[in-house]
Amino acid sequence: GGGDSKVKIWDLRTYKELHSYATYGGPPTSLDISQTGILGVGHGCHATFWKPDALSQKLKEPYMKHTLPGKGPLESLRFRPFEDVCGLGHARGIASIVVPGSGEPNLDSMEHFTNPYMDNRQRREAEVRSLLEKLSPDMIALDPDVIGSVEESNSILRRQRLRDLAEEADARKEAERDMEKNKKEKKRMRGRSKIAKKLQRKQKNIVDDNVNKLREAREREKAEK
């Protein structure tokens, strides 16, 4: 579609124009082709639909017309897959109309990502299947010449492998010991581990003049009695 208010059909093999369709009410602003080949054209406040034969030959009349008065130019026109529904986006919102024969009536759920009702599990399986099909069989098959064979190695390599395993085990044990040393004491809030109890125990070990005077006064009182 162009600014001359025409929808032109071109042959890309020869780069030549085959025929064109004139639009009224404004230049075409959105084009879309359904699964069955119906051509939808949005121009002005109108939507025009042509049969699939309109691409190969010149037709006199469109298959269907729809008008949205007072809603401005159509900004987008899109067909819904597997359903006879077309969505129209205009200046005041979205509208949907029924276009008979625009959707594919026969749904093949075995094809990848063509089932609109698939759940998350089916979608995940379809993705895995598509990825496996991209890989060559040599990358995912096991080599029969390697399976069941014995690895050839000398005594030096075997001792080196055992030494490496022993060093890894020792390093793991040292790391576990360091973790145990760095473990902090759990802050228990019951019984003797309360903060008040801890402070009282600390105060008992502190000796100052007031404590000595208090002890002497208590001893004199006991002696007088």
Side-chain angles (χ1 to χ4, degrees):
D4 56 351
S5 298
K6 288 185 179 180
V7 178
K8 299 180 180 180
I9 310 299
W10 293 77
D11 188 356
L12 296 180
R13 296 171 296 183
T14 59
Y15 294 99
K16 293 182 180 179
E17 179 183 347
L18 301 179
H19 49 272
S20 62
Y21 297 99
T23 60
Y24 57 92
T29 55
S30 181
L31 302 174
D32 194 17
I33 299 177
S34 69
Q35 292 178 322
T36 57
I38 294 178
L39 173 63
V41 182
H43 50 95
C45 59
H46 306 277
T48 306
F49 301 93
W50 298 85
K51 290 184 178 182
D53 298 337
L55 300 177
S56 59
Q57 59 184 352
K58 178 76 172 181
L59 298 181
K60 295 181 179 180
E61 295 181 356
Y63 170 62
M64 180 178 170
K65 295 181 181 179
H66 184 72
T67 304
L68 298 171
K71 295 185 179 180
L74 293 179
E75 298 180 359
S76 63
L77 183 149
R78 293 293 181 270
F79 289 99
R80 183 175 177 82
F82 305 105
E83 293 185 9
D84 296 342
V85 178
C86 180
L88 306 175
H90 49 79
R92 295 189 179 182
I94 300 174
S96 60
I97 60 175
V98 176
V99 182
S102 61
E104 176 64 38
N106 299 321
L107 175 63
D108 188 3
S109 60
M110 297 302 294
E111 295 182 4
H112 301 320
F113 305 106
T114 56
N115 184 6
Y117 307 106
M118 66 170 54
D119 53 9
N120 293 334
R121 182 179 179 182
Q122 293 175 345
R123 189 177 295 106
R124 193 184 307 114
E125 291 179 355
E127 292 177 357
V128 173
R129 192 184 301 112
S130 62
L131 292 175
L132 290 176
E133 289 181 354
K134 293 180 181 179
L135 297 175
S136 60
D138 299 336
M139 298 180 63
I140 59 178
L142 298 176
D143 190 359
D145 297 333
V146 178
I147 298 175
S149 59
V150 179
E151 180 183 2
E152 295 181 0
S153 61
N154 50 24
S155 58
I156 298 175
L157 294 178
R158 286 196 297 271
R159 286 196 296 269
Q160 182 66 28
R161 190 181 300 110
L162 294 175
R163 193 180 302 112
D164 295 339
L165 293 175
E167 291 177 357
E168 290 179 0
D170 295 339
R172 196 181 300 110
K173 290 181 180 179
E174 291 180 0
E176 291 177 356
R177 284 198 215 96
D178 295 339
M179 290 178 62
E180 291 179 357
K181 290 180 181 179
N182 296 331
K183 282 184 179 179
K184 296 183 179 179
E185 182 182 358
K186 294 183 179 179
K187 296 182 180 179
R188 298 178 180 177
M189 304 303 293
R190 295 180 181 178
R192 300 180 61 186
S193 297
K194 287 185 177 180
I195 296 176
K197 296 291 184 180
K198 290 182 178 180
L199 293 176
Q200 289 179 4
R201 288 197 295 271
K202 289 181 180 179
Q203 291 294 333
K204 289 182 180 179
N205 299 326
I206 298 175
V207 179
D208 55 0
D209 296 337
N210 295 328
V211 174
N212 294 330
K213 291 179 181 179
L214 182 60
R215 289 178 180 174
E216 292 176 358
R218 288 182 178 178
E219 289 177 359
R220 284 197 298 269
E221 289 178 359
K222 290 181 180 180
E224 292 176 356
K225 291 180 179 179

